Amino acid sequence: KEFTYVITDPEGIHARPAGLLVKAAADLKAANAKTIFGVMGLGVKKDMEVKVTAEGEDEDQAVETLQKFFSENL
């Protein structure tokens, strides 16, 4: 499962939302969901498109959780 998202936060992905993102993905078993922050890092700026992939037993929940996180925080 995957989705793409265009960052709307004027500051892009900075320390506060990055920390929240790691926390949001911490309990997800989908392998790639756990490494989202490591893949994207802090260099993602406003209007950049990111692709999030989740694979594993809870991939549906991972995608739903992370889509909600992105829309509410980034």
Side-chain angles (χ1 to χ4, degrees):
K1 298 279 183 171
E2 64 184 38
F3 68 93
T4 57
Y5 183 81
V6 176
I7 302 298
T8 59
D9 187 306
E11 297 179 35
I13 299 181
H14 52 92
R16 185 191 61 76
L20 294 173
L21 176 57
V22 170
K23 194 179 263 189
D27 293 330
L28 300 171
K29 292 183 175 94
N32 290 331
K34 289 184 178 180
T35 59
I36 281 175
F37 175 67
V39 171
M40 293 190 313
L42 290 173
V44 178
K45 306 293 183 199
K46 183 179 186 292
D47 296 325
M48 290 179 75
E49 183 176 275
V50 295
K51 180 177 175 182
V52 178
T53 303
E55 297 175 359
E57 63 186 75
D58 65 347
E59 62 189 29
D60 291 328
Q61 179 187 353
V63 167
E64 181 179 323
T65 298
L66 295 170
Q67 280 181 314
K68 181 178 179 185
F69 175 86
F70 273 72
S71 67
E72 291 176 355
N73 297 281
L74 297 170

